[in-house]
Amino acid sequence: MACASLLQLAAPRETMSPQESTHMGCFGPERRVEIPAGFFVVAALQFAGWLSVMIYSFYFTSAWAQELGTEPGSPEFSKAVRSATLLLIAGSLWFTTAGALLPRFVRLCGGEEEALIVALILLAITLGTFTPHLKVLSSFCAVIVFPTAYQVVARVPYTWIERQPSFDEADRGRLTGRLTVALSASQIVVSLSGGPVAAATGGRLVGAYRVWAAVSATAALLGIAQRLLRSGGWCRRPRPGGGGGKEALLAAAS
């Protein structure tokens, strides 16, 4: 699936004009898709977010048990895995609540791009401070912080598309398809690099967490830098006629 998505992104675009085409697909007349300004920045931020989300989710229970010094197959290991699983279950419950609060979170951050940058910072904190020995902090990050950042990474970029002045309903499928490549690409990167990174850090999964925390923090800093250089400030200035008068996806959850 990941390879197919990458091939879709690399496929040549159609140049046929709407007047010359009589074929109507699910995207309307075949034509060149207008990429909104800042699209690739948002896609890069989402990609960095997906990397952290994937690595944290894949290794959480094993990393929790490993950091407690338990041996695989021992009763202590099974107990530690069960404790970590309960945290993930609690986090999934907050994940639903975080979805309902997402519009407020985005407004608090100042906009969609800003919310993505804040999510990367939260993910860096979650990965960088992970240790069962600080149970309260790690549990709070697992149950509250991580699901909130996860919601931002998964949903906000698609809302950002609809809020652009140049947004056209006919382009929705192709633009969202290009964003979906970020998820597929992150799965490929984590699957290929997760093992080598853990091995390079002495076989400790928490060492891999620290590496990806640094990646997430670096992406957040680059996002802040480009935001300040491009707009001269943190919060997005109002876009006249943004989204063509259509309500954004997040409005449905408010």
Side-chain angles (χ1 to χ4, degrees):
M1 180 182 70
C3 293
S5 298
L6 292 175
L7 289 175
Q8 176 188 359
L9 179 63
R13 298 173 180 172
E14 296 287 345
T15 58
M16 185 180 299
S17 65
Q19 290 79 11
E20 298 171 341
S21 173
T22 58
H23 173 68
M24 295 290 291
C26 60
F27 304 112
E30 295 183 1
R31 58 189 178 82
R32 189 179 297 275
V33 177
E34 181 177 354
I35 303 297
F39 176 84
F40 293 106
V41 172
V42 171
L45 292 174
Q46 188 186 38
F47 171 70
W50 278 130
L51 286 175
S52 296
V53 168
M54 293 296 117
I55 201 75
Y56 187 80
S57 302
F58 289 172
Y59 292 158
F60 183 80
T61 54
S62 297
W64 186 277
Q66 187 183 63
E67 285 302 292
L68 288 176
T70 61
E71 292 294 331
S74 66
E76 293 78 12
F77 183 87
S78 299
K79 181 179 179 180
V81 169
R82 286 195 296 270
S83 298
T85 302
L86 289 176
L87 290 176
L88 292 179
I89 293 174
S92 67
L93 297 177
W94 174 254
F95 183 83
T96 304
T97 304
L101 298 176
L102 193 55
R104 297 181 182 179
F105 181 85
V106 173
R107 287 194 295 270
L108 181 64
C109 293
E112 291 84 8
E113 288 185 51
E114 293 84 353
L116 281 168
I117 294 172
V118 172
L120 287 175
I121 295 173
L122 294 178
L123 289 170
I125 293 173
T126 300
L127 290 167
T129 62
F130 176 87
T131 171
H133 301 294
L134 298 175
K135 186 171 291 185
V136 174
L137 175 61
S138 294
S139 299
F140 178 78
C141 287
V143 175
I144 303 296
V145 178
F146 175 73
T148 302
Y150 191 167
Q151 278 279 11
V152 174
V153 171
R155 296 179 56 193
V156 167
Y158 302 99
T159 303
W160 177 88
I161 289 177
E162 292 201 357
R163 290 177 62 86
Q164 301 313 297
S166 61
F167 173 70
D168 190 326
E169 195 78 26
D171 293 337
R172 182 200 301 271
R174 295 189 182 186
L175 291 174
T176 56
R178 283 164 170 75
L179 278 181
T180 303
V181 172
L183 172 59
S184 302
S186 68
Q187 291 172 333
I188 293 175
V189 171
V190 170
S191 63
L192 293 178
S193 64
V197 170
T201 56
R204 295 178 65 234
L205 296 176
V206 72
Y209 274 16
R210 303 294 186 261
V211 171
W212 291 109
V215 172
S216 184
T218 301
L221 290 175
L222 292 175
I224 293 173
Q226 71 80 30
R227 188 75 190 133
L228 296 177
L229 290 173
R230 193 175 67 182
S231 63
W234 171 254
C235 293
R236 182 191 61 244
R237 293 184 177 87
R239 302 186 183 96
K246 305 176 182 65
E247 291 188 352
L249 292 175
L250 290 181
S254 60

